[in-house]
Amino acid sequence: MKFFLGCSNCFSSETIATSRPAGEQKHGNLLIFSRDELRVATQDFSSSNKIGEGGFGSVYKGRLQDGSFVAVKVLSVEIESMRGEREFISELAALSDVKHENLVTLQGCCVDGASRYLVYEYLENNSLSQTLLGKEQNRTKFSWEARRDISVGVARAIAHLHEEVRPRILHRDIKASNILLDQNFKPKVSDFGLSRMLRDDTSHVSTRVAGTLGYLAPEYAVSGHLSRKADVYGFGVLLLEIISGRSAVDFDLEHGEHYLVQKAWEFYNANNLVQIVDPVLNRNFPEAEAARFLKVGLLCVQENVKHRPHMSKVVGMLNNEIDIRDVRISEPGLLSDLTDIRLRQRNSTQSTSSRGSTSTSVPTSTYF
């Protein structure tokens, strides 16, 4: 982070506007593109080339002059300027030097006045939220083997960020829309705009609460203390989605909102966990392996943070290198409403006041 914060001049318009061809300049491992080159590549950011949209802007498919395809993320200029700047710096810091087969490759960037652009490798099969969690005909494309490989690949990527990279990286927004798939359905974890660095001598960082309802770890939502176990929780929800084909939060007119974590817990208590496996598989899957994956998902979302495994152990469990047949699974944590955050914060503040002690107040602003 310090490197990028201290190098704002390296990404100035003056640096980009040189006589060398656009896209051939480099800053470290990153290519520096001009805005004109990205406009041409995306056909002036045509709506027909739009392939995604998030809280900080839109993503467009583009074709560079050399014929290669890229995904261009345009950070919104309408958002609060510092939030946009933090996202830009976070993505650069997180991805410029971190390489893993299950992490999306950041190829370059562009700064033009107040505008910020990030250029990624283009992945043909879009995100899990638009494919696996889409219509039934989409889900039929994902065999049990494909779901297994996607689950293990994502787990390996997060384990790499948590335990092999220094400083450690907390993604903070593990969810289906941030898992991209290449032409062979290999998963790539993307979107590091909310990521934070974790130094070796710290267990957590305190930050404004951010994430997506359904994937948000309850303890983080309440305290603002972000640890690796918050990413573990998000992965647990994602794993349940991959195996079941259901979204983290569903809504129907008759029954209202349904939370996948709670539904999986109910099946587990009924000793019928494999019933939640996606029906489009027509029971064409190994039941013991499916049950193991679902149990790992429930282990990752347990309410007691200490009971959630680290991601390297998650990989071992998924690969059946760690036996979990006799592991006791306790009740999962579930944040079903943003009101829960405010109520818990208010109760915590009142409890602290009644004891006459002082403590740092937890953040009250939440954005998703």
Side-chain angles (χ1 to χ4, degrees):
M1 289 290 285
K2 184 177 180 181
F3 173 78
F4 290 99
L5 286 168
C7 290
S8 59
N9 290 336
C10 297
F11 297 103
S12 67
S13 299
E14 293 180 1
T15 303
I16 293 173
T18 68
S19 58
R20 285 179 292 174
E24 291 189 8
Q25 300 174 72
K26 296 194 73 173
H27 182 83
N29 295 324
L30 296 176
L31 290 171
I32 307 300
F33 294 88
S34 71
R35 185 172 183 273
D36 285 342
E37 183 178 17
L38 298 182
R39 285 184 62 186
V40 171
T42 60
Q43 297 179 311
D44 202 13
F45 304 102
S46 167
S47 58
S48 63
N49 285 331
K50 189 173 181 179
I51 56 176
E53 186 165 7
F56 287 96
S58 302
V59 182
Y60 297 85
K61 179 181 178 180
R63 186 173 186 177
L64 301 177
Q65 290 180 351
D66 64 5
S68 62
F69 289 98
V70 292
V72 181
K73 182 176 183 179
V74 183
L75 299 188
S76 174
V77 296
E78 298 176 359
I79 60 175
E80 176 190 349
S81 59
M82 281 306 296
R83 278 175 55 189
E85 193 71 21
R86 282 199 301 269
E87 156 135 346
F88 187 73
I89 294 170
S90 290
E91 295 235 16
L92 292 178
L95 290 177
S96 62
D97 294 319
V98 179
K99 303 298 179 186
H100 188 278
E101 62 177 318
N102 297 116
L103 292 175
V104 70
T105 299
L106 177 64
Q107 296 184 354
C109 64
C110 168
V111 173
D112 187 84
S115 300
R116 302 289 186 269
Y117 307 86
L118 296 170
V119 181
Y120 296 96
E121 63 176 318
Y122 174 69
L123 299 171
E124 294 83 351
N125 283 308
N126 218 302
S127 71
L128 276 177
S129 64
Q130 294 181 310
T131 51
L132 177 60
L133 300 181
K135 298 179 181 179
E136 183 172 319
Q137 58 263 37
N138 290 337
R139 304 205 317 273
T140 58
K141 300 175 184 176
F142 291 84
S143 64
W144 170 258
E145 290 74 20
R147 297 173 197 236
R148 178 187 61 205
D149 292 346
I150 289 169
S151 301
V152 174
V154 174
R156 289 180 62 242
I158 303 172
H160 180 71
L161 296 173
H162 283 188
E163 302 174 38
E164 298 174 22
V165 172
R166 291 295 183 273
R168 297 166 181 152
I169 296 175
L170 309 179
H171 186 280
R172 201 160 60 133
D173 202 18
I174 299 295
K175 61 181 179 180
S177 61
N178 286 339
I179 308 302
L180 306 181
L181 303 171
D182 70 8
Q183 61 182 348
N184 298 315
F185 288 89
K186 176 186 286 188
K188 306 258 188 172
V189 178
S190 70
D191 201 337
F192 284 73
L194 296 179
S195 65
R196 291 292 182 269
M197 305 299 180
L198 184 68
R199 304 295 170 182
D200 287 339
D201 58 346
T202 58
S203 61
H204 68 272
V205 292
S206 296
T207 180
R208 174 194 249 180
V209 177
T212 303
L213 191 62
Y215 300 90
L216 195 64
E219 79 285 347
Y220 166 52
V222 172
S223 68
H225 291 171
L226 176 69
S227 74
R228 289 178 289 179
K229 295 300 182 73
D231 278 354
V232 174
Y233 184 96
F235 173 78
V237 177
L238 176 68
L239 180 56
L240 295 175
E241 287 184 308
I242 292 171
I243 305 305
S244 69
R246 308 185 187 200
S247 297
V249 183
D250 272 330
F251 183 84
D252 65 57
L253 293 176
E254 182 178 354
H255 299 102
E257 286 182 321
H258 292 268
Y259 295 90
L260 180 56
V261 167
Q262 186 61 40
K263 184 64 66 176
W265 175 245
E266 291 171 2
F267 277 110
Y268 174 77
N269 277 332
N271 199 29
N272 199 17
L273 192 52
V274 294
Q275 281 298 108
I276 204 171
V277 175
D278 196 338
V280 304
L281 291 175
N282 293 318
R283 302 197 71 83
N284 187 22
F285 59 87
E287 287 199 9
E289 187 171 48
R292 186 174 74 248
F293 273 53
L294 291 167
K295 287 179 180 178
V296 173
L298 284 173
L299 283 170
C300 289
V301 298
Q302 289 184 106
E303 186 168 22
N304 189 324
V305 177
K306 294 181 180 179
H307 291 168
R308 296 178 205 159
H310 288 294
M311 287 304 302
S312 58
K313 287 190 175 181
V314 169
V315 174
M317 292 173 181
L318 293 176
N319 287 327
N320 205 22
E321 298 164 353
I322 299 175
D323 190 355
I324 63 169
R325 284 176 295 181
D326 298 325
V327 172
R328 183 175 178 273
I329 301 176
S330 56
E331 187 170 358
L334 178 63
L335 185 72
S336 61
D337 196 305
L338 295 184
T339 307
D340 290 353
I341 301 176
R342 302 185 183 97
L343 289 176
R344 293 185 194 184
Q345 288 176 341
R346 187 180 303 118
N347 291 338
S348 176
T349 303
Q350 291 172 349
S351 176
T352 301
S353 300
S354 66
R355 293 195 303 267
S357 59
T358 58
S359 63
T360 304
S361 60
V362 295
T364 57
S365 57
T366 307
Y367 62 94
F368 297 86

